[in-house]
Amino acid sequence: MNALGQSEAFAKPVKVVVKEQNVDPGCGLDGPDVLRRRAQYGQNQLRVNEKKSAFIILAHQFKGVIVWLLVFAAAVSFYYRDIAEGIAIVVVLAINTAIGFFTELRAARSMEALARISEFTTRVRRSGKVISVDAHELVPGDIVLLEAGDMVTADLRLIQASNLYSDESILTGESVPVVKQVEPVSPNSIIGDRSSMAFKGTAVTQGTGEGIVTTIGMATELGRINHLVQTAESAASPLETGLDHLGHRLVRLTLVLAVLVIGAGIVRGHEIAAMIQTGVALAVAAVPEGLPVVATLCLARGMWRMAEHNAVISNLSSVETLGATTVILTDKTGTLTENRMAVVRYLTSGADVNVDGHDERVQFETGAGKRDPQTDPHLSTVLRIGALCNSASLGQGTQKQLGDPMEVALLRVARHAGRSHVTLVETYKEVREYAFEQKTKMMATVHQDSDRDDENNGFFYAIKGAPEAVLGVCKNVLGNDGEQALDGTTRAQWQERSRAAASEGLRLLALAFKRADREDAAPYENLTLAGIVCLRDPLRADVGEAIAAAQAAGVRVVMLTGDHADTAAAIAREAGLGREGKLTVMEGSDLDEFETEETDASLRHRILSADVFARVAPETKLKLTALYQQNGHIVAMTGDGVNDAPALKQADIGIAMGQRGTEVAREAADMVLKDDSVGTIIAAMRQGRVIFDNIRKFVVYLMSCNVSEVLIVGLAVGAGLPMPLLPLQILFLNLVTDVFPAFALGFGSGDEHIMRQPPRKPTEQILDRGRWLLIGVLGGAITMTVLTAFWLALHWLMLPIEMAVTVAFLTLALAQLWNVFNVRVPGGGLLVNEVTRNVWVWGAIGLCIGMIAMVFWLPALSDILKLPNPGLLGFLLAFGSSIGPLAIGQMFLRFGPKCWL
């Protein structure tokens, strides 16, 4: 949809662009020409991806290897007519699928949000008449008319601009509207410096103008971002990768064990059918059926808890991913800052007056103490000039504030100081305005001067503008003793103060005045400098504390912004970015040759060591995100604008602002902050770490229980003993004594010092070597205890095989319940630790004991499970034997190698 030769229209003179478009700006295109161009270039629309259907979301729930192993086990059970066993496995699968499906039903709608930008009408000149057309009907060559409040609906090369300003923050991240003009700019200019263009999706904040449509639809800058969002790839979460790795290992383990046991049984003369059923029993024993359910519920509960703390998660795996984050790439405007301008300082002859606080709590202070604008004539004058020389509006009631953000800030601070614009214009009635012009870089308003003591009220001229421009026309300066001559030395001092303030990343406006007897006197002659006002987009109140908490947790925070380097660096220093007091800043121009795959080692090191990236384009943010990922980082990206959407989608977890953020950013993200608070990210990060630690605990617990079941069945078959456990009994244990304690472990509140520890390595598996060792020790202890109890029931108590199986079943069930206390942190107390303090664990144990008791209270259930009553001695043997694994586990935690649970 790009008009021929218009790829760099911003760098070409207006006459050249008009000629290339073959259009007369005074008449515009005619009807036939519009139809011809629409047939050639198409509609002015953004491409929208198809919605992710409910079927695809449902299919996603069956990606895990463990799930398919359970499907196979259910199929084999039904084949051998073990209906109860097959139904039980199907119920497990159904519960897991339902939880995952309904929790993840909300899919990304990024492209729909982008497409809504085209749902506007636009004023165009066609056939010599100004008409309104739907935005999607624009074609290259159309002449578009702009005025304050308009949404730009295509990329335009400006041909007229009168005091025209555009808010481009969604594309560039700059919080201040950009002044527009018609002269060509450098072909190497980045988006934020292309002042001769108006871009699709941006808003006109003031002034009027006209432009020629150069690109539409997907060829616009907004369309290019649309394409980046579509092509950005979301990587699998660390938890998904870890569970998939664990699932593959379990499949291999299950197949090896099944083949060995079936082969050993056949060699010993057992029937093939019986051995296949035994193999199914091993599969059931080896696979922790409760793992998918418990992991899903644990993540879902984490999602709900985060939502209670203003962090809305769009998919389950993102809950844990945030806890694994090693670097946070954050936008500046609207994320670290409030996305509004505020007055922070006045430079006056006597001193620098700092403005502290906001809203109704504004205070004016100098090194000598507080200044009261009611009694300080100098401070009162600068406040009055800023409020009078102003075309913005704060609005009343439900009305929104209108105008340039810097002018709005001047009105706001004046109002809080008792100098509201409404009151001032009643006293100083405005009679004339000289609008801001690029040529003079100043604005002036003329008012009836009520301060004059003579009978003929004169006129008060209020002027504001660029410091260098205003200083150039001032003859005097307002001092403590009134107006004084502005000599060369004093002028140089003011220029130096101005440069020093600008180097801090502050936006500056000089304020001046004069009095005259006529309202039509030259506005910019013989002025008196009152002072210079310094403004900036203030840092959000919670940012410093949040960044300090992230750094204490071993997580780097890096700023990515389209704003200027000085402004970005000033905010970064205030926020506490950098290391050991040093701040490294790189600009977009430093990254012109940057390619993710081909970056040399030196440039790669510089990039990965930088704390701030300024003047970066959306595609550069995307490349930087990918570079961090390629270097082993788990990346969280925060942002609020359309320009952040591609990187939000590319990151391991994208985080968007819920209040100030664009819908595009919210829909591309994995997490949305309802309160826009960076502190919420840290709280969510802690929750993610706690969840992963809890998942590790219940995986160790589940696997040690399942290893014991595999060893019990395998060793019994290998030794030629009767089967001590039946498949349905194992499945019952896996769904009762495994799931509820594991789920209780997933509800743990976590270590209170968890955010003082560095993030785990991205390559670190859920089960490392130490945890596999612990699984082996605990599983072996349970196996030894159960087989011993089974042998004692057969040869000491002389119980029938069926009752001996009951003793083995009870011993295993109770030993697995007590095993939950073996997954505490090795350094924790024996009786008081994070497991014993978890009330959910005690509730789960009580529930499981009740369900086990029901097996013997309900004859129908005991008949299905084939568990006859073993008598009092059998119960006592089972209970006494079940204590053994608990004692062995506690000794291992005390004296064995640490496993860092």
Side-chain angles (χ1 to χ4, degrees):
M1 289 78 165
N2 199 69
L4 184 62
Q6 295 305 308
S7 59
E8 293 184 354
F10 57 87
K12 299 176 181 178
V14 170
K15 291 182 179 180
V16 174
V17 177
V18 169
K19 183 177 180 180
E20 289 178 340
Q21 288 290 352
N22 191 24
V23 61
D24 179 0
C27 295
L29 301 175
D30 58 23
D33 204 10
V34 170
L35 294 176
R36 179 181 60 80
R37 297 188 186 211
R38 183 172 299 130
Q40 180 179 359
Y41 300 115
Q43 296 276 355
N44 179 30
Q45 292 178 324
L46 300 177
R47 189 179 302 121
V48 180
N49 282 342
E50 295 182 3
K51 291 183 178 180
K52 186 184 291 185
S53 68
F55 175 77
I56 293 177
I57 297 174
L58 181 63
H60 181 262
Q61 310 308 313
F62 292 89
K63 287 179 61 178
V65 176
I66 294 177
V67 172
W68 283 106
L69 195 57
L70 289 176
V71 170
F72 175 76
V76 173
S77 297
F78 284 124
Y79 180 80
Y80 284 101
R81 300 187 183 281
D82 291 327
I83 305 301
E85 183 178 318
I87 291 175
I89 298 175
V90 170
V91 169
V92 174
L93 290 169
I95 293 173
N96 180 68
T97 301
I99 294 171
F101 174 77
F102 288 110
T103 306
E104 294 188 9
L105 188 58
R106 177 186 174 272
R109 301 294 182 232
S110 304
M111 298 307 103
E112 293 178 38
L114 280 168
R116 292 191 189 101
I117 292 176
S118 295
E119 298 173 2
F120 293 92
T121 59
T122 300
R123 292 189 307 135
V124 300
R125 183 179 294 116
R126 288 180 179 173
S127 301
K129 297 180 179 180
V130 176
I131 61 174
S132 293
V133 300
D134 289 337
H136 67 267
E137 294 181 0
L138 288 177
V139 297
D142 260 327
I143 305 299
V144 175
L145 282 67
L146 300 173
E147 62 181 17
D150 284 350
M151 177 71 75
V152 182
T153 52
D155 283 1
L156 312 177
R157 173 58 168 94
L158 296 172
I159 58 176
Q160 291 184 22
S162 176
N163 195 31
L164 185 65
Y165 283 77
S166 176
D167 179 1
E168 299 180 349
S169 59
I170 68 167
L171 292 178
T172 66
E174 286 198 57
S175 53
V176 178
V178 179
V179 63
K180 294 296 180 179
Q181 49 84 40
V182 299
E183 297 301 320
V185 297
S186 169
N188 298 321
S189 300
I190 63 174
I191 297 176
D193 294 334
R194 296 174 188 174
S195 56
S196 59
M197 296 288 293
F199 297 106
K200 181 180 178 71
T202 62
V204 178
T205 59
Q206 70 181 64
T208 59
E210 293 185 10
I212 300 177
V213 175
T214 58
T215 52
I216 61 174
M218 292 298 292
T220 63
E221 291 296 330
L222 191 65
R224 191 166 54 82
I225 295 176
N226 176 301
H227 177 71
L228 291 175
V229 175
Q230 290 178 337
T231 55
E233 298 181 359
S234 300
S237 74
L239 182 61
E240 289 174 329
T241 303
L243 288 176
D244 185 67
H245 178 78
L246 177 60
H248 281 86
R249 296 189 71 171
L250 286 176
V251 168
R252 292 194 293 269
L253 175 64
T254 301
L255 291 176
V256 170
L257 287 174
V259 170
L260 289 176
V261 171
I262 291 173
I266 293 175
V267 169
R268 286 182 171 274
H270 294 289
E271 294 182 2
I272 295 178
M275 285 296 95
I276 292 177
Q277 286 183 293
T278 301
V280 172
L282 278 174
V284 171
V287 178
E289 289 83 358
L291 179 57
V293 176
V294 174
T296 301
L297 284 174
C298 184
L299 292 172
R301 182 174 182 269
M303 178 185 291
W304 301 328
R305 290 185 67 179
M306 288 183 184
E308 293 174 356
H309 292 85
N310 296 314
V312 180
I313 307 292
S314 64
N315 60 76
L316 287 176
S317 60
S318 298
V319 176
E320 181 275 333
T321 302
L322 193 59
T325 298
T326 59
V327 61
I328 298 175
L329 304 181
T330 177
D331 180 40
K332 177 184 72 70
T333 305
T335 304
L336 299 180
T337 65
E338 297 182 12
N339 195 21
R340 68 176 180 89
M341 297 305 292
V343 175
V344 295
R345 190 184 307 159
Y346 284 100
L347 307 183
T348 66
S349 292
D352 291 354
V353 182
N354 294 316
V355 182
D356 295 326
H358 56 87
D359 297 335
E360 305 299 333
R361 299 183 295 276
V362 170
Q363 293 183 341
F364 302 88
E365 298 179 349
T366 66
K370 294 183 179 180
R371 300 274 288 269
D372 185 355
Q374 303 295 336
T375 59
D376 187 326
H378 197 163
L379 181 58
S380 178
T381 298
V382 293
L383 287 166
R384 187 199 330 165
I385 295 171
L388 290 177
C389 187
N390 203 307
S391 57
S393 171
L394 290 178
Q396 299 291 332
T398 59
Q399 294 179 343
K400 294 183 178 180
Q401 59 190 31
L402 300 173
D404 183 271
M406 290 198 292
E407 291 193 326
V408 169
L410 293 174
L411 291 181
R412 189 185 297 113
V413 71
R415 183 182 66 183
H416 297 327
R419 298 288 188 274
S420 72
H421 182 262
V422 175
T423 303
L424 285 171
V425 294
E426 290 178 356
T427 306
Y428 299 89
K429 182 179 179 182
E430 182 177 320
V431 296
R432 180 169 296 196
E433 176 181 318
Y434 294 89
F436 179 88
E437 295 181 1
Q438 273 296 107
K439 183 178 180 180
T440 62
K441 294 185 178 181
M442 289 181 285
M443 170 187 176
T445 54
V446 184
H447 307 264
Q448 291 181 353
D449 191 354
S450 61
D451 291 340
R452 290 280 289 267
D453 295 329
D454 52 36
E455 294 181 359
N456 298 318
N457 287 341
F459 297 92
F460 180 82
Y461 285 65
I463 296 93
K464 76 173 188 297
E468 65 276 13
V470 175
L471 277 169
V473 294
C474 284
K475 299 296 183 183
N476 301 300
V477 60
L478 184 63
N480 294 330
D481 300 323
E483 297 182 29
Q484 302 168 358
L486 184 62
D487 57 29
T489 301
T490 307
R491 190 184 305 274
Q493 291 173 348
W494 275 99
Q495 291 171 339
E496 180 57 32
R497 293 175 70 186
S498 174
R499 282 193 292 268
S503 68
E504 298 179 33
L506 300 175
R507 311 276 181 171
L508 308 182
L509 288 172
L511 304 173
F513 69 95
K514 77 172 182 177
R515 289 182 169 89
D517 295 329
R518 298 163 42 206
E519 67 175 83
D520 58 351
Y524 305 130
E525 293 181 0
N526 301 318
L527 302 183
T528 297
L529 178 67
I532 295 177
V533 59
C534 307
L535 307 96
R536 72 169 178 187
D537 185 0
L539 194 72
R540 294 177 62 86
D542 62 340
V543 165
E545 182 180 349
I547 289 179
Q551 292 170 338
V555 179
R556 279 200 68 204
V557 182
V558 179
M559 179 194 293
L560 275 63
T561 179
D563 213 338
H564 294 277
D566 287 344
T567 304
I571 291 295
R573 289 190 181 93
E574 184 180 2
L577 295 186
R579 286 168 289 187
E580 298 179 355
K582 296 181 180 179
L583 188 74
T584 305
V585 181
M586 293 187 70
E587 294 195 59
S589 57
D590 299 328
L591 305 173
D592 288 342
E593 305 300 324
F594 165 52
E595 291 296 335
T596 305
E597 301 291 343
E598 302 175 1
T599 306
D600 64 71
S602 175
L603 179 57
R604 181 184 295 263
H605 176 74
R606 285 180 58 208
I607 292 173
L608 295 175
S609 300
D611 303 298
V612 177
F613 293 93
R615 306 298 281 172
V616 292
E619 56 265 55
T620 305
K621 291 185 178 182
L622 191 62
K623 290 178 181 178
L624 288 170
T625 302
L627 180 67
Y628 276 98
Q629 290 173 324
Q630 289 175 9
N631 282 268
H633 287 282
I634 301 299
V635 179
M637 171 71 192
T638 71
D640 65 336
V642 173
N643 60 322
D644 300 316
L648 287 172
K649 187 175 179 182
Q650 171 74 37
D652 295 286
I653 178 165
I655 305 169
M657 303 296 111
Q659 296 178 359
R660 303 174 191 268
T662 61
E663 186 170 357
V664 179
R666 291 195 295 269
E667 294 294 341
D670 302 295
M671 184 171 85
V672 177
L673 306 180
K674 291 192 294 185
D675 59 357
D676 286 9
S677 172
V678 180
T680 301
I681 299 177
I682 306 304
M685 185 180 296
R686 183 190 185 281
Q687 185 66 25
R689 290 190 177 189
V690 168
I691 286 172
F692 184 78
D693 276 3
N694 289 343
I695 288 176
R696 273 186 155 170
K697 280 186 172 66
F698 71 62
V699 169
V700 169
Y701 171 76
L702 289 173
M703 290 300 298
S704 60
C705 292
N706 284 75
V707 164
S708 68
E709 294 165 0
V710 170
L711 292 175
I712 290 167
V713 174
L715 291 176
V717 171
L721 297 174
M723 283 284 288
L725 294 170
L726 301 179
L728 192 57
Q729 295 170 356
I730 295 173
L731 188 61
F732 178 84
L733 290 176
N734 286 356
L735 297 180
V736 176
T737 60
D738 284 5
V739 169
F740 292 107
F743 191 42
L745 289 172
F747 273 23
S749 58
D751 183 1
E752 61 181 3
H753 301 300
I754 198 167
M755 288 303 288
R756 298 179 188 173
Q757 304 168 5
R760 72 177 190 275
K761 296 179 180 179
T763 56
E764 188 174 334
Q765 297 298 325
I766 294 176
L767 295 180
D768 54 20
R769 186 172 299 176
R771 289 175 175 82
W772 277 112
L773 175 61
L774 181 61
I775 289 170
V777 170
L778 297 179
I782 295 173
T783 300
M784 180 180 66
T785 299
V786 172
L787 289 179
T788 300
F790 183 59
W791 187 89
L792 290 174
L794 286 172
H795 300 287
W796 180 47
L797 298 181
M798 305 300 291
L799 295 178
I801 292 177
E802 293 80 6
M803 291 185 180
V805 168
T806 301
V807 172
F809 172 85
L810 279 172
T811 303
L812 179 60
L814 294 174
Q816 289 182 344
L817 286 181
W818 315 144
N819 189 44
V820 74
F821 298 109
N822 286 329
V823 294
R824 64 175 173 84
V825 175
L830 177 63
L831 299 178
V832 180
N833 52 64
E834 78 279 6
V835 177
T836 58
R837 287 195 299 263
N838 187 342
V839 295
W840 294 96
V841 167
W842 295 105
I845 290 175
L847 177 63
C848 290
I849 290 176
M851 296 180 71
I852 293 170
M854 287 177 59
V855 172
F856 301 99
W857 290 337
L858 300 176
L861 186 56
S862 60
D863 290 342
I864 292 175
L865 293 175
K866 299 178 181 180
L867 292 171
N869 192 321
L872 179 60
L873 291 178
F875 282 117
L876 291 175
L877 174 61
F879 178 78
S881 300
S882 68
I883 302 299
L886 175 60
I888 294 173
Q890 293 300 313
M891 286 189 292
F892 181 80
L893 290 173
R894 179 67 182 275
F895 302 108
K898 305 304 180 185
C899 298
W900 302 284
L901 286 174

